[in-house]
Amino acid sequence: MRSINSYGGYAIFLFIFDIHMMLHFSLRHVSVDQLRFYCLRLQWSLPHPICLIDWLNSQSFYPKISWIDRESGWHMVACHQVFVIHHLPHLLSTQLIRGQQHMPFRLMGVASSSPSFCLPRYELHHVANQYIFALNYVFTTSLPLEHIQSAIKQMSHFIASPYPLNNNVLFHIQYLPNLYGWNQTLLQMLHQMRQTNIHKLVMARQKQLHFQHGVNVFDWLTYKPNCFHFVYIWQPHLALVALSPERLYFRHQHHLMTEAMAGTRPRSVTNRQDALWCFHLHENEKDVLEENWVKLDLEAKLNQLGTLFTSHHYSIFQTPYVQHLYVAFLVKLKANYLDTYLINSIHPTAAICGSPMPQAYLMLQKYESFHRGAYACPIGWIGDEDAHLCVSIRCALIRENQVVLFAGSGILAASLPHAEWNETENKFVY
Ligand SMILES: *[C@@H]1O[C@H](CO)[C@@H](O)[C@H](O)[C@H]1NC(C)=O
Ligand SMILES: *[C@@H]1O[C@H](CO)[C@@H](O)[C@H](O)[C@H]1NC(C)=O
């Protein structure tokens, strides 16, 4: 690292790179499972705004990833993997050697039954009027200086190309299960529910859209307030697009934030009706009971992990289409838990399975008509100091000519199959 002179976290690359701008850097020693290496991260601000999605669309490297935070609106897009691991990291630690402390090392990915997490090569961030490029390089002995130099120049001189119009034709819609199958399954399930103490099951179904041509993932990226946005594009026609209100947890060092969300009412364009639905959620015994189950399940899990702080009052969480009962938790973790451990301890929650857990989980295995795969699994990013994961409820899986939409609904003993069918239909967000 002799060629990098550092002045309080700034790197002067002017001599070696002939690049006339200020770069922030951090050089870390990183361990991910058995792998040990150095990671150099370079960051620089752009003097002008840039459209992140246009930038991502015009890149030729995969995977392509996009993440928008639900509260802060921080948007990050990334592409190209420095490396990928096909499991949740069992060990992740970084140690600063030189440069800036607060330049995070993040693995982005999907923690489904076949997980996939990667360290992106190129990142572009938009947060509070700032646009920031970042580059990640790993090495064991010497830095690929020439490659870094050309990457910086190339990224800085990006010009957005016009977005091509796509006339794709939807020619077939298929449901899994179909209405008849859903009816039959629910009738059997309700019968069994009445004989057990399981009072709620969250059953999901698929709506498969078949198009004439390969689907362009970028046609499916929309923005909705109060949702986590997560997009993982493995290949040009293979992607997961999730728009989810549901946080699994946010961790900062030894502090973990999570939440219980349950009960659903629609939103209304009139304030009066909207407030009525909201009032109804608060007053309805069934919804409050349902939220209690989700809360109890989480509390039991979180109490194992550390000291728990909970609010005793439920509030209302609103997305543009629906509203839910909501309660937040803060946990002071009692040990240096790995995110792998935290994810496995908290997921799946009663909110996506049913209650009481884990009986609901077992019953679901019997009745749901497909493997959930990337549906209802933790998605987001894991760093050593911080991690943020949401749950991919309300998502679309894009594969070649097909878009598979997923949505679930909470089935209670008193549920009517056709009404539940209709409710899930409203939850398909596209
Ligand atoms: C589904 O069940 C309802 C009763 O809950 C019935 O009215 C309806 O005809 C059934 N539909 C199908 C397609 O089986
Ligand atoms: C479900 O929606 C269909 C079509 O919109 C409607 O005809 C039916 O009455 C609804 N059923 C229930 C139980 O809400």
Side-chain angles (χ1 to χ4, degrees):
M1 290 308 297
R2 264 182 301 131
S3 45
I4 297 179
N5 303 308
S6 86
Y7 292 97
Y10 292 98
I12 307 298
F13 280 85
L14 304 180
F15 303 116
I16 26 174
F17 288 161
D18 188 29
I19 291 166
H20 298 273
M21 60 188 186
M22 205 59 117
L23 298 170
H24 294 260
F25 85 94
S26 95
L27 175 65
R28 289 169 186 274
H29 185 245
V30 179
S31 306
V32 181
D33 299 342
Q34 313 304 332
L35 301 170
R36 283 178 216 298
F37 48 82
Y38 295 98
C39 178
L40 176 70
R41 184 179 170 88
L42 297 166
Q43 269 183 208
W44 65 98
S45 297
L46 282 161
H48 50 80
I50 176 171
C51 173
L52 275 67
I53 292 301
D54 283 352
W55 179 83
L56 191 64
N57 185 27
S58 67
Q59 301 303 306
S60 46
F61 295 112
Y62 288 85
K64 297 183 182 185
I65 303 164
S66 170
W67 165 272
I68 305 177
D69 215 23
R70 194 182 68 188
E71 276 90 12
S72 71
W74 163 50
H75 188 184
M76 167 191 181
V77 291
C79 73
H80 199 17
Q81 61 204 22
V82 177
F83 65 84
V84 62
I85 52 174
H86 293 290
H87 55 260
L88 279 167
H90 303 307
L91 172 76
L92 179 62
S93 74
T94 75
Q95 189 192 350
L96 185 72
I97 297 175
R98 289 179 85 175
Q100 292 208 321
Q101 182 67 32
H102 300 293
M103 285 177 56
F105 174 91
R106 294 190 189 96
L107 300 178
M108 314 274 314
V110 179
S112 62
S113 47
S114 45
S116 168
F117 278 82
C118 81
L119 175 69
R121 166 82 73 213
Y122 308 103
E123 296 176 11
L124 172 57
H125 299 249
H126 177 204
V127 56
N129 297 331
Q130 266 206 307
Y131 294 84
I132 297 165
F133 268 132
L135 268 174
N136 293 308
Y137 275 91
V138 305
F139 60 97
T140 45
T141 50
S142 67
L143 259 177
L145 287 176
E146 274 177 22
H147 196 280
I148 296 178
Q149 181 181 17
S150 68
I152 293 173
K153 283 190 171 161
Q154 200 191 339
M155 284 173 88
S156 299
H157 295 120
F158 165 76
I159 298 162
S161 47
Y163 185 67
L165 273 180
N166 199 353
N167 295 318
N168 214 344
V169 179
L170 173 68
F171 72 91
H172 183 53
I173 299 178
Q174 203 178 351
Y175 292 96
L176 184 71
N178 61 19
L179 179 56
Y180 179 78
W182 174 265
N183 257 6
Q184 297 303 306
T185 308
L186 255 65
L187 291 177
Q188 280 178 34
M189 202 173 93
L190 290 168
H191 180 72
Q192 195 183 336
M193 277 171 84
R194 286 182 202 113
Q195 296 171 338
T196 60
N197 66 342
I198 299 175
H199 89 274
K200 182 191 167 192
L201 274 177
V202 182
M203 272 274 279
R205 63 187 188 90
Q206 291 183 359
K207 181 175 181 176
Q208 303 171 349
L209 313 178
H210 299 262
F211 290 88
Q212 212 157 34
H213 310 291
V215 174
N216 184 347
V217 178
F218 286 82
D219 289 343
W220 290 79
L221 307 191
T222 54
Y223 179 77
K224 301 275 180 331
N226 278 352
C227 289
F228 290 99
H229 293 54
F230 180 88
V231 182
Y232 202 103
I233 311 175
W234 286 272
Q235 295 161 26
H237 299 291
L238 180 63
L240 173 72
V241 181
L243 264 176
S244 167
E246 193 103 0
R247 171 183 279 136
L248 185 67
Y249 68 79
F250 171 71
R251 177 183 65 81
H252 176 65
Q253 291 170 348
H254 294 300
H255 291 93
L256 188 136
M257 254 169 66
T258 180
E259 61 202 23
M261 228 187 250
T264 305
R265 287 292 178 286
R267 297 293 308 274
S268 169
V269 284
T270 68
N271 287 339
R272 191 185 128 76
Q273 184 58 51
D274 213 36
L276 267 177
W277 285 127
C278 171
F279 182 71
H280 198 232
L281 265 178
H282 265 298
E283 294 300 303
N284 188 289
E285 201 181 328
K286 204 187 79 187
D287 290 296
V288 173
L289 199 69
E290 188 182 326
E291 173 72 354
N292 265 332
W293 279 110
V294 176
K295 185 171 175 246
L296 281 176
D297 167 64
L298 253 183
E299 273 173 349
K301 290 169 173 171
L302 298 175
N303 272 319
Q304 303 289 314
L305 298 173
T307 318
L308 179 62
F309 305 91
T310 321
S311 152
H312 293 288
H313 299 286
Y314 292 144
S315 49
I316 298 287
F317 187 87
Q318 298 181 320
T319 77
Y321 306 115
V322 286
Q323 42 193 336
H324 310 282
L325 278 172
Y326 168 94
V327 61
F329 301 91
L330 184 67
V331 187
K332 193 167 184 295
L333 299 171
K334 67 183 176 200
N336 203 0
Y337 292 119
L338 292 169
D339 288 291
T340 306
Y341 183 78
L342 295 172
I343 290 171
N344 290 330
S345 306
I346 299 172
H347 176 78
T349 62
I352 60 162
C353 263
S355 51
M357 286 271 285
Q359 295 92 313
Y361 181 75
L362 289 174
M363 195 159 159
L364 205 62
Q365 308 287 310
K366 183 172 158 193
Y367 288 107
E368 212 164 54
S369 45
F370 52 87
H371 283 292
R372 287 191 169 187
Y375 169 68
C377 74
I379 50 178
W381 55 268
I382 299 174
D384 63 335
E385 293 218 322
D386 307 87
H388 204 167
L389 294 141
C390 61
V391 185
S392 57
I393 56 166
R394 299 172 213 167
C395 65
L397 194 65
I398 298 173
R399 191 185 284 134
E400 301 301 337
N401 294 15
Q402 215 189 80
V403 178
V404 181
L405 307 175
F406 295 85
S409 110
I411 312 294
L412 308 169
S415 291
L416 297 171
H418 205 157
E420 297 297 341
W421 174 275
N422 288 1
E423 190 189 313
T424 37
E425 199 64 23
N426 293 333
K427 281 184 181 166
F428 292 125
V429 286
Y430 298 98

